[in-house]
Amino acid sequence: MTIQQISVFLENKFGRLHEILSLIANDEIRIIAATVSDTSEFGILRLVTTDPHKTFQILKNHQISSNISEVFAIVTDRNSGQITQTIEHFTQAGLSIEYMYCFSTSKAGFLILRTNNLEAARNVIRRASLVCVDQAHIADL
Amino acid sequence: MYWEKEIETMARPALRDLQLERLGETIAQAKKSTYYSKLFQEKQLDKLTVQSLEDLKKFPFTTKDDLRSHYPFGFAAIPLQQCVRLHSSSGTTGNPTVVLHSQADLDAWANQVARCMYMVGLRSTDVFQNTSGYGMFTGGLGFQYGAERLGALTIPAAAGNTKRQMKFILDFDVTCIHAIPSYAVRLAEGFYESGLDPKKDTKLTTLMIGAEPHSEEQRKRIESLLGVKAYNCFGMSEMNGPGVAFECPEQNGLHIWEDYVIAEIVNPVTLEPVADGEIGELVLTTLQREAMPLIRYRTRDLTRFIPGTCSCGRTHRKIDRFKGRSDDMIILKGVNIFPIQIEKILMQFKELGNNYLITLETVGANDDMLIEVELSDLFTDDYSVLQRLTKQITHQLKDEILLTPKVKLVEKNSLPQGEGKAVRVKDLRNNT
């Protein structure tokens, strides 16, 4: 039900994002989605790639502080109001969204999100019959 | 259990009486040197007879620079013909320092080292291998004479050649080694690389480590790698060499032999004594030295007295593991801060790596401290955790150094590697 997301600690330093992406991007790894968030002190780069374990290994080999975590990639159709409806399920179950980023292809929309409770989120997804992409199918997107 | 029970367990008042008696002798002896005779005259101390240990405070400090500028024999208190040994430590700047010994001085030193070694369990039935460099480095001859005095079979293996060191340890049933901590690790690795387990395949029980700063974690690691008990030792060539202070089986602080030295701990800036238990610079006065007595010698080493008594029964005070050099001290907004205080706090957080950088800078009218510290591998994806971590670090640092530094988490390996202490502190303040 979940996919693996790579998070990278980023100092607010010119050129650092480019440096890190250059390490990862190669013929075998494709970046599906990425987001950078920042505070005044530091940033976190979050990545969904076709091979999270290899991505993580590359970062480790370069001694970059990074982390691999489970997030949901929920599929929505392209009609208006879909994101709102999806989030509503979580809110009604009393779950908070810690972060979320979205992207869409010509066929569907995707919400990558993490809540404050992984197990409870699984139940919400099951009950609401939301569709999730799993890691094996990430490369097909 | 004790090498010299009477001295080692002497009641404090008796020990102080002994110190006072020997202080008088030391000052009388020091007057025979060109350096001190001139100094005492200048400071009108030549007529003074010490009545109490407090009187020592009337005497000026002696520094390494004083030793250098009176190179080579300005501190000699006996004719050179009566000296039997000269040790010299190389100076990176200017003249080296010279330390002279009479035969009585060497005998006293050997006894001092033997006392230390006996304290941690070495007996005449032991086999002791010394991996110190010999020659001018006092860890060589110092331990050699001490172990021989104790009656142990002593192997002057000297430094380097790990294969040969290992062969000696195995073939001669060595039970005790003296090594610097990094070399102890190297030795252990040598055994494991050869398919041997030093815990089973050697007779080693005891390790004496010193001359290199090392943490408690490092000690534990060395102990478990080699299957030994490791004891800290402290010394410096100006004070003979090894044996000035040594850990007892409690492994919690080093007994400083107060029949050999008077130890003071002072604030390195004001040169006033610090409160008991506080960190400051160790200042030593020799009490039994004939060839070259030193009065209130500033060691530049930072430590503190550990308050209270020791369950080993020895009454000589304990000093803490060394906290760095007084030259490293930072003065910010009138507060004295040692980088080691900051390091101690940072090392408590498993989320942080080993590297940090302290930057002092002027922001507006204020001087501020910025502490950049690298994250370890244990990185979390959660902002609030990182922010909470930053807050916790700041808070704990404030409790320790009484100022609120600005703490910044940085990427692993983004700071200069901490080889010397100097690179840990960057002072960019406007000079006022």
PDB file of all heavy atoms in Angstrom, chain B residues 253-286:
ATOM      1  N   GLY B 253      38.721   9.060  37.509  1.00  0.00           N
ATOM      2  CA  GLY B 253      39.606  10.134  37.937  1.00  0.00           C
ATOM      3  C   GLY B 253      40.996   9.626  38.264  1.00  0.00           C
ATOM      4  O   GLY B 253      41.193   8.442  38.537  1.00  0.00           O
ATOM      5  N   LEU B 254      41.958  10.534  38.209  1.00  0.00           N
ATOM      6  CA  LEU B 254      43.365  10.165  38.389  1.00  0.00           C
ATOM      7  C   LEU B 254      43.896  10.737  39.702  1.00  0.00           C
ATOM      8  O   LEU B 254      43.820  11.948  39.927  1.00  0.00           O
ATOM      9  CB  LEU B 254      44.214  10.710  37.226  1.00  0.00           C
ATOM     10  CG  LEU B 254      43.918  10.213  35.814  1.00  0.00           C
ATOM     11  CD1 LEU B 254      42.790  11.020  35.180  1.00  0.00           C
ATOM     12  CD2 LEU B 254      45.152  10.302  34.935  1.00  0.00           C
ATOM     13  N   HIS B 255      44.418   9.877  40.553  1.00  0.00           N
ATOM     14  CA  HIS B 255      45.037  10.356  41.794  1.00  0.00           C
ATOM     15  C   HIS B 255      46.302  11.112  41.433  1.00  0.00           C
ATOM     16  O   HIS B 255      47.159  10.604  40.710  1.00  0.00           O
ATOM     17  CB  HIS B 255      45.410   9.180  42.701  1.00  0.00           C
ATOM     18  CG  HIS B 255      44.224   8.526  43.341  1.00  0.00           C
ATOM     19  ND1 HIS B 255      43.582   9.064  44.417  1.00  0.00           N
ATOM     20  CD2 HIS B 255      43.561   7.388  43.033  1.00  0.00           C
ATOM     21  CE1 HIS B 255      42.566   8.282  44.774  1.00  0.00           C
ATOM     22  NE2 HIS B 255      42.534   7.254  43.938  1.00  0.00           N
ATOM     23  N   ILE B 256      46.387  12.335  41.951  1.00  0.00           N
ATOM     24  CA  ILE B 256      47.603  13.102  41.701  1.00  0.00           C
ATOM     25  C   ILE B 256      48.453  12.983  42.962  1.00  0.00           C
ATOM     26  O   ILE B 256      47.958  13.182  44.073  1.00  0.00           O
ATOM     27  CB  ILE B 256      47.271  14.563  41.300  1.00  0.00           C
ATOM     28  CG1 ILE B 256      48.516  15.305  40.879  1.00  0.00           C
ATOM     29  CG2 ILE B 256      46.507  15.338  42.380  1.00  0.00           C
ATOM     30  CD1 ILE B 256      48.237  16.428  39.892  1.00  0.00           C
ATOM     31  N   TRP B 257      49.697  12.580  42.807  1.00  0.00           N
ATOM     32  CA  TRP B 257      50.518  12.236  43.982  1.00  0.00           C
ATOM     33  C   TRP B 257      50.978  13.489  44.684  1.00  0.00           C
ATOM     34  O   TRP B 257      51.902  14.155  44.245  1.00  0.00           O
ATOM     35  CB  TRP B 257      51.692  11.351  43.569  1.00  0.00           C
ATOM     36  CG  TRP B 257      51.235  10.064  42.954  1.00  0.00           C
ATOM     37  CD1 TRP B 257      51.520   9.614  41.709  1.00  0.00           C
ATOM     38  CD2 TRP B 257      50.391   9.065  43.559  1.00  0.00           C
ATOM     39  NE1 TRP B 257      50.909   8.395  41.495  1.00  0.00           N
ATOM     40  CE2 TRP B 257      50.208   8.036  42.611  1.00  0.00           C
ATOM     41  CE3 TRP B 257      49.768   8.929  44.796  1.00  0.00           C
ATOM     42  CZ2 TRP B 257      49.435   6.899  42.860  1.00  0.00           C
ATOM     43  CZ3 TRP B 257      48.998   7.805  45.049  1.00  0.00           C
ATOM     44  CH2 TRP B 257      48.843   6.798  44.090  1.00  0.00           C
ATOM     45  N   GLU B 258      50.334  13.781  45.793  1.00  0.00           N
ATOM     46  CA  GLU B 258      50.553  15.059  46.455  1.00  0.00           C
ATOM     47  C   GLU B 258      51.774  15.083  47.363  1.00  0.00           C
ATOM     48  O   GLU B 258      52.081  16.097  47.951  1.00  0.00           O
ATOM     49  CB  GLU B 258      49.291  15.468  47.210  1.00  0.00           C
ATOM     50  CG  GLU B 258      48.143  15.737  46.241  1.00  0.00           C
ATOM     51  CD  GLU B 258      46.841  16.103  46.938  1.00  0.00           C
ATOM     52  OE1 GLU B 258      46.639  17.302  47.167  1.00  0.00           O
ATOM     53  OE2 GLU B 258      46.058  15.193  47.252  1.00  0.00           O
ATOM     54  N   ASP B 259      52.469  13.943  47.457  1.00  0.00           N
ATOM     55  CA  ASP B 259      53.768  13.995  48.125  1.00  0.00           C
ATOM     56  C   ASP B 259      54.860  14.377  47.125  1.00  0.00           C
ATOM     57  O   ASP B 259      55.950  14.756  47.507  1.00  0.00           O
ATOM     58  CB  ASP B 259      54.100  12.649  48.793  1.00  0.00           C
ATOM     59  CG  ASP B 259      54.082  11.487  47.802  1.00  0.00           C
ATOM     60  OD1 ASP B 259      53.256  11.517  46.864  1.00  0.00           O
ATOM     61  OD2 ASP B 259      54.891  10.555  47.956  1.00  0.00           O
ATOM     62  N   TYR B 260      54.518  14.296  45.847  1.00  0.00           N
ATOM     63  CA  TYR B 260      55.469  14.691  44.797  1.00  0.00           C
ATOM     64  C   TYR B 260      55.210  16.098  44.257  1.00  0.00           C
ATOM     65  O   TYR B 260      56.119  16.756  43.805  1.00  0.00           O
ATOM     66  CB  TYR B 260      55.412  13.710  43.624  1.00  0.00           C
ATOM     67  CG  TYR B 260      56.168  12.428  43.857  1.00  0.00           C
ATOM     68  CD1 TYR B 260      55.525  11.247  44.195  1.00  0.00           C
ATOM     69  CD2 TYR B 260      57.564  12.411  43.720  1.00  0.00           C
ATOM     70  CE1 TYR B 260      56.226  10.070  44.401  1.00  0.00           C
ATOM     71  CE2 TYR B 260      58.274  11.240  43.923  1.00  0.00           C
ATOM     72  CZ  TYR B 260      57.610  10.072  44.266  1.00  0.00           C
ATOM     73  OH  TYR B 260      58.316   8.922  44.467  1.00  0.00           O
ATOM     74  N   VAL B 261      53.945  16.495  44.259  1.00  0.00           N
ATOM     75  CA  VAL B 261      53.605  17.828  43.731  1.00  0.00           C
ATOM     76  C   VAL B 261      52.532  18.486  44.592  1.00  0.00           C
ATOM     77  O   VAL B 261      51.746  17.814  45.244  1.00  0.00           O
ATOM     78  CB  VAL B 261      53.047  17.764  42.280  1.00  0.00           C
ATOM     79  CG1 VAL B 261      54.115  17.364  41.286  1.00  0.00           C
ATOM     80  CG2 VAL B 261      51.830  16.854  42.196  1.00  0.00           C
ATOM     81  N   ILE B 262      52.515  19.814  44.549  1.00  0.00           N
ATOM     82  CA  ILE B 262      51.348  20.539  45.050  1.00  0.00           C
ATOM     83  C   ILE B 262      50.545  20.931  43.819  1.00  0.00           C
ATOM     84  O   ILE B 262      51.076  21.550  42.888  1.00  0.00           O
ATOM     85  CB  ILE B 262      51.747  21.801  45.849  1.00  0.00           C
ATOM     86  CG1 ILE B 262      52.455  21.393  47.142  1.00  0.00           C
ATOM     87  CG2 ILE B 262      50.504  22.644  46.163  1.00  0.00           C
ATOM     88  CD1 ILE B 262      52.945  22.569  47.960  1.00  0.00           C
ATOM     89  N   ALA B 263      49.297  20.535  43.789  1.00  0.00           N
ATOM     90  CA  ALA B 263      48.451  20.816  42.630  1.00  0.00           C
ATOM     91  C   ALA B 263      47.485  21.941  42.953  1.00  0.00           C
ATOM     92  O   ALA B 263      46.842  21.944  43.998  1.00  0.00           O
ATOM     93  CB  ALA B 263      47.681  19.556  42.233  1.00  0.00           C
ATOM     94  N   GLU B 264      47.414  22.909  42.058  1.00  0.00           N
ATOM     95  CA  GLU B 264      46.405  23.965  42.163  1.00  0.00           C
ATOM     96  C   GLU B 264      45.623  23.962  40.857  1.00  0.00           C
ATOM     97  O   GLU B 264      46.158  23.577  39.824  1.00  0.00           O
ATOM     98  CB  GLU B 264      47.059  25.348  42.296  1.00  0.00           C
ATOM     99  CG  GLU B 264      47.963  25.537  43.482  1.00  0.00           C
ATOM    100  CD  GLU B 264      48.751  26.850  43.345  1.00  0.00           C
ATOM    101  OE1 GLU B 264      48.190  27.916  43.629  1.00  0.00           O
ATOM    102  OE2 GLU B 264      49.927  26.788  42.929  1.00  0.00           O
ATOM    103  N   ILE B 265      44.378  24.402  40.914  1.00  0.00           N
ATOM    104  CA  ILE B 265      43.622  24.582  39.675  1.00  0.00           C
ATOM    105  C   ILE B 265      43.127  26.018  39.654  1.00  0.00           C
ATOM    106  O   ILE B 265      42.447  26.470  40.570  1.00  0.00           O
ATOM    107  CB  ILE B 265      42.475  23.560  39.555  1.00  0.00           C
ATOM    108  CG1 ILE B 265      43.095  22.158  39.407  1.00  0.00           C
ATOM    109  CG2 ILE B 265      41.580  23.877  38.352  1.00  0.00           C
ATOM    110  CD1 ILE B 265      42.118  21.029  39.249  1.00  0.00           C
ATOM    111  N   VAL B 266      43.558  26.755  38.617  1.00  0.00           N
ATOM    112  CA  VAL B 266      43.268  28.191  38.572  1.00  0.00           C
ATOM    113  C   VAL B 266      42.517  28.557  37.301  1.00  0.00           C
ATOM    114  O   VAL B 266      42.581  27.853  36.293  1.00  0.00           O
ATOM    115  CB  VAL B 266      44.574  29.033  38.650  1.00  0.00           C
ATOM    116  CG1 VAL B 266      45.354  28.717  39.913  1.00  0.00           C
ATOM    117  CG2 VAL B 266      45.434  28.838  37.402  1.00  0.00           C
ATOM    118  N   ASN B 267      41.816  29.657  37.386  1.00  0.00           N
ATOM    119  CA  ASN B 267      41.199  30.227  36.200  1.00  0.00           C
ATOM    120  C   ASN B 267      42.327  30.742  35.298  1.00  0.00           C
ATOM    121  O   ASN B 267      43.131  31.569  35.731  1.00  0.00           O
ATOM    122  CB  ASN B 267      40.288  31.377  36.637  1.00  0.00           C
ATOM    123  CG  ASN B 267      39.619  32.064  35.477  1.00  0.00           C
ATOM    124  OD1 ASN B 267      40.258  32.385  34.483  1.00  0.00           O
ATOM    125  ND2 ASN B 267      38.324  32.291  35.605  1.00  0.00           N
ATOM    126  N   PRO B 268      42.407  30.291  34.064  1.00  0.00           N
ATOM    127  CA  PRO B 268      43.550  30.662  33.229  1.00  0.00           C
ATOM    128  C   PRO B 268      43.612  32.154  32.884  1.00  0.00           C
ATOM    129  O   PRO B 268      44.650  32.628  32.438  1.00  0.00           O
ATOM    130  CB  PRO B 268      43.386  29.826  31.962  1.00  0.00           C
ATOM    131  CG  PRO B 268      42.091  29.137  32.051  1.00  0.00           C
ATOM    132  CD  PRO B 268      41.517  29.324  33.412  1.00  0.00           C
ATOM    133  N   VAL B 269      42.528  32.875  33.109  1.00  0.00           N
ATOM    134  CA  VAL B 269      42.551  34.305  32.803  1.00  0.00           C
ATOM    135  C   VAL B 269      42.889  35.116  34.046  1.00  0.00           C
ATOM    136  O   VAL B 269      43.833  35.903  34.058  1.00  0.00           O
ATOM    137  CB  VAL B 269      41.199  34.773  32.230  1.00  0.00           C
ATOM    138  CG1 VAL B 269      41.214  36.268  32.023  1.00  0.00           C
ATOM    139  CG2 VAL B 269      40.918  34.050  30.933  1.00  0.00           C
ATOM    140  N   THR B 270      42.140  34.881  35.115  1.00  0.00           N
ATOM    141  CA  THR B 270      42.372  35.668  36.329  1.00  0.00           C
ATOM    142  C   THR B 270      43.503  35.081  37.157  1.00  0.00           C
ATOM    143  O   THR B 270      44.058  35.758  38.016  1.00  0.00           O
ATOM    144  CB  THR B 270      41.112  35.687  37.213  1.00  0.00           C
ATOM    145  OG1 THR B 270      40.852  34.331  37.633  1.00  0.00           O
ATOM    146  CG2 THR B 270      39.903  36.192  36.435  1.00  0.00           C
ATOM    147  N   LEU B 271      43.849  33.817  36.912  1.00  0.00           N
ATOM    148  CA  LEU B 271      44.864  33.072  37.655  1.00  0.00           C
ATOM    149  C   LEU B 271      44.493  32.906  39.129  1.00  0.00           C
ATOM    150  O   LEU B 271      45.326  32.568  39.958  1.00  0.00           O
ATOM    151  CB  LEU B 271      46.251  33.719  37.497  1.00  0.00           C
ATOM    152  CG  LEU B 271      46.752  33.775  36.042  1.00  0.00           C
ATOM    153  CD1 LEU B 271      48.095  34.477  35.951  1.00  0.00           C
ATOM    154  CD2 LEU B 271      46.863  32.378  35.452  1.00  0.00           C
ATOM    155  N   GLU B 272      43.240  33.134  39.443  1.00  0.00           N
ATOM    156  CA  GLU B 272      42.735  32.885  40.795  1.00  0.00           C
ATOM    157  C   GLU B 272      42.268  31.437  40.881  1.00  0.00           C
ATOM    158  O   GLU B 272      41.861  30.865  39.870  1.00  0.00           O
ATOM    159  CB  GLU B 272      41.550  33.815  41.104  1.00  0.00           C
ATOM    160  CG  GLU B 272      41.928  35.276  41.268  1.00  0.00           C
ATOM    161  CD  GLU B 272      42.918  35.500  42.399  1.00  0.00           C
ATOM    162  OE1 GLU B 272      42.725  34.877  43.471  1.00  0.00           O
ATOM    163  OE2 GLU B 272      43.878  36.269  42.207  1.00  0.00           O
ATOM    164  N   PRO B 273      42.312  30.853  42.089  1.00  0.00           N
ATOM    165  CA  PRO B 273      41.838  29.469  42.213  1.00  0.00           C
ATOM    166  C   PRO B 273      40.365  29.356  41.830  1.00  0.00           C
ATOM    167  O   PRO B 273      39.584  30.268  42.121  1.00  0.00           O
ATOM    168  CB  PRO B 273      42.016  29.153  43.699  1.00  0.00           C
ATOM    169  CG  PRO B 273      42.718  30.306  44.316  1.00  0.00           C
ATOM    170  CD  PRO B 273      42.785  31.423  43.355  1.00  0.00           C
ATOM    171  N   VAL B 274      39.992  28.275  41.188  1.00  0.00           N
ATOM    172  CA  VAL B 274      38.572  28.060  40.872  1.00  0.00           C
ATOM    173  C   VAL B 274      37.923  27.359  42.059  1.00  0.00           C
ATOM    174  O   VAL B 274      38.610  26.820  42.921  1.00  0.00           O
ATOM    175  CB  VAL B 274      38.384  27.202  39.594  1.00  0.00           C
ATOM    176  CG1 VAL B 274      38.961  27.899  38.385  1.00  0.00           C
ATOM    177  CG2 VAL B 274      38.974  25.814  39.765  1.00  0.00           C
ATOM    178  N   ALA B 275      36.606  27.387  42.096  1.00  0.00           N
ATOM    179  CA  ALA B 275      35.891  26.685  43.164  1.00  0.00           C
ATOM    180  C   ALA B 275      36.133  25.187  43.015  1.00  0.00           C
ATOM    181  O   ALA B 275      36.363  24.696  41.901  1.00  0.00           O
ATOM    182  CB  ALA B 275      34.408  26.992  43.079  1.00  0.00           C
ATOM    183  N   ASP B 276      36.067  24.480  44.125  1.00  0.00           N
ATOM    184  CA  ASP B 276      36.328  23.046  44.113  1.00  0.00           C
ATOM    185  C   ASP B 276      35.385  22.345  43.127  1.00  0.00           C
ATOM    186  O   ASP B 276      34.174  22.571  43.146  1.00  0.00           O
ATOM    187  CB  ASP B 276      36.114  22.484  45.530  1.00  0.00           C
ATOM    188  CG  ASP B 276      36.828  21.153  45.692  1.00  0.00           C
ATOM    189  OD1 ASP B 276      37.837  20.932  44.986  1.00  0.00           O
ATOM    190  OD2 ASP B 276      36.372  20.334  46.515  1.00  0.00           O
ATOM    191  N   GLY B 277      35.952  21.550  42.253  1.00  0.00           N
ATOM    192  CA  GLY B 277      35.129  20.815  41.297  1.00  0.00           C
ATOM    193  C   GLY B 277      34.966  21.523  39.974  1.00  0.00           C
ATOM    194  O   GLY B 277      34.449  20.953  39.019  1.00  0.00           O
ATOM    195  N   GLU B 278      35.419  22.791  39.902  1.00  0.00           N
ATOM    196  CA  GLU B 278      35.294  23.511  38.630  1.00  0.00           C
ATOM    197  C   GLU B 278      36.528  23.323  37.759  1.00  0.00           C
ATOM    198  O   GLU B 278      37.624  23.097  38.250  1.00  0.00           O
ATOM    199  CB  GLU B 278      35.082  25.004  38.889  1.00  0.00           C
ATOM    200  CG  GLU B 278      33.616  25.349  38.989  1.00  0.00           C
ATOM    201  CD  GLU B 278      33.402  26.821  39.254  1.00  0.00           C
ATOM    202  OE1 GLU B 278      34.256  27.633  38.851  1.00  0.00           O
ATOM    203  OE2 GLU B 278      32.377  27.135  39.884  1.00  0.00           O
ATOM    204  N   ILE B 279      36.291  23.465  36.439  1.00  0.00           N
ATOM    205  CA  ILE B 279      37.392  23.282  35.492  1.00  0.00           C
ATOM    206  C   ILE B 279      38.310  24.486  35.483  1.00  0.00           C
ATOM    207  O   ILE B 279      37.855  25.624  35.515  1.00  0.00           O
ATOM    208  CB  ILE B 279      36.836  23.054  34.071  1.00  0.00           C
ATOM    209  CG1 ILE B 279      36.013  21.780  34.026  1.00  0.00           C
ATOM    210  CG2 ILE B 279      37.966  22.975  33.047  1.00  0.00           C
ATOM    211  CD1 ILE B 279      35.314  21.567  32.694  1.00  0.00           C
ATOM    212  N   GLY B 280      39.585  24.225  35.428  1.00  0.00           N
ATOM    213  CA  GLY B 280      40.571  25.290  35.310  1.00  0.00           C
ATOM    214  C   GLY B 280      41.894  24.691  34.884  1.00  0.00           C
ATOM    215  O   GLY B 280      41.973  23.516  34.529  1.00  0.00           O
ATOM    216  N   GLU B 281      42.929  25.544  34.917  1.00  0.00           N
ATOM    217  CA  GLU B 281      44.244  25.072  34.476  1.00  0.00           C
ATOM    218  C   GLU B 281      45.010  24.475  35.663  1.00  0.00           C
ATOM    219  O   GLU B 281      45.055  25.045  36.743  1.00  0.00           O
ATOM    220  CB  GLU B 281      45.028  26.245  33.893  1.00  0.00           C
ATOM    221  CG  GLU B 281      46.406  25.851  33.401  1.00  0.00           C
ATOM    222  CD  GLU B 281      47.150  27.017  32.771  1.00  0.00           C
ATOM    223  OE1 GLU B 281      46.499  27.978  32.303  1.00  0.00           O
ATOM    224  OE2 GLU B 281      48.395  26.963  32.766  1.00  0.00           O
ATOM    225  N   LEU B 282      45.589  23.323  35.412  1.00  0.00           N
ATOM    226  CA  LEU B 282      46.357  22.635  36.445  1.00  0.00           C
ATOM    227  C   LEU B 282      47.720  23.316  36.590  1.00  0.00           C
ATOM    228  O   LEU B 282      48.422  23.543  35.610  1.00  0.00           O
ATOM    229  CB  LEU B 282      46.532  21.167  36.053  1.00  0.00           C
ATOM    230  CG  LEU B 282      47.268  20.269  37.035  1.00  0.00           C
ATOM    231  CD1 LEU B 282      46.474  20.093  38.318  1.00  0.00           C
ATOM    232  CD2 LEU B 282      47.546  18.913  36.391  1.00  0.00           C
ATOM    233  N   VAL B 283      48.055  23.650  37.840  1.00  0.00           N
ATOM    234  CA  VAL B 283      49.333  24.295  38.144  1.00  0.00           C
ATOM    235  C   VAL B 283      50.060  23.400  39.147  1.00  0.00           C
ATOM    236  O   VAL B 283      49.474  22.986  40.146  1.00  0.00           O
ATOM    237  CB  VAL B 283      49.087  25.699  38.741  1.00  0.00           C
ATOM    238  CG1 VAL B 283      50.373  26.299  39.267  1.00  0.00           C
ATOM    239  CG2 VAL B 283      48.454  26.616  37.691  1.00  0.00           C
ATOM    240  N   LEU B 284      51.315  23.086  38.862  1.00  0.00           N
ATOM    241  CA  LEU B 284      52.027  22.122  39.704  1.00  0.00           C
ATOM    242  C   LEU B 284      53.332  22.690  40.249  1.00  0.00           C
ATOM    243  O   LEU B 284      54.063  23.393  39.546  1.00  0.00           O
ATOM    244  CB  LEU B 284      52.339  20.854  38.898  1.00  0.00           C
ATOM    245  CG  LEU B 284      51.134  20.047  38.392  1.00  0.00           C
ATOM    246  CD1 LEU B 284      51.586  18.928  37.470  1.00  0.00           C
ATOM    247  CD2 LEU B 284      50.330  19.494  39.555  1.00  0.00           C
ATOM    248  N   THR B 285      53.588  22.373  41.499  1.00  0.00           N
ATOM    249  CA  THR B 285      54.861  22.706  42.127  1.00  0.00           C
ATOM    250  C   THR B 285      55.532  21.391  42.509  1.00  0.00           C
ATOM    251  O   THR B 285      54.911  20.566  43.181  1.00  0.00           O
ATOM    252  CB  THR B 285      54.625  23.565  43.387  1.00  0.00           C
ATOM    253  OG1 THR B 285      53.969  24.767  42.996  1.00  0.00           O
ATOM    254  CG2 THR B 285      55.927  23.899  44.088  1.00  0.00           C
ATOM    255  N   THR B 286      56.759  21.210  42.076  1.00  0.00           N
ATOM    256  CA  THR B 286      57.445  19.953  42.412  1.00  0.00           C
ATOM    257  C   THR B 286      57.825  19.984  43.897  1.00  0.00           C
ATOM    258  O   THR B 286      58.079  21.049  44.456  1.00  0.00           O
ATOM    259  CB  THR B 286      58.735  19.767  41.586  1.00  0.00           C
ATOM    260  OG1 THR B 286      59.637  20.828  41.910  1.00  0.00           O
ATOM    261  CG2 THR B 286      58.454  19.786  40.097  1.00  0.00           C
TER     262      THR B 286
END
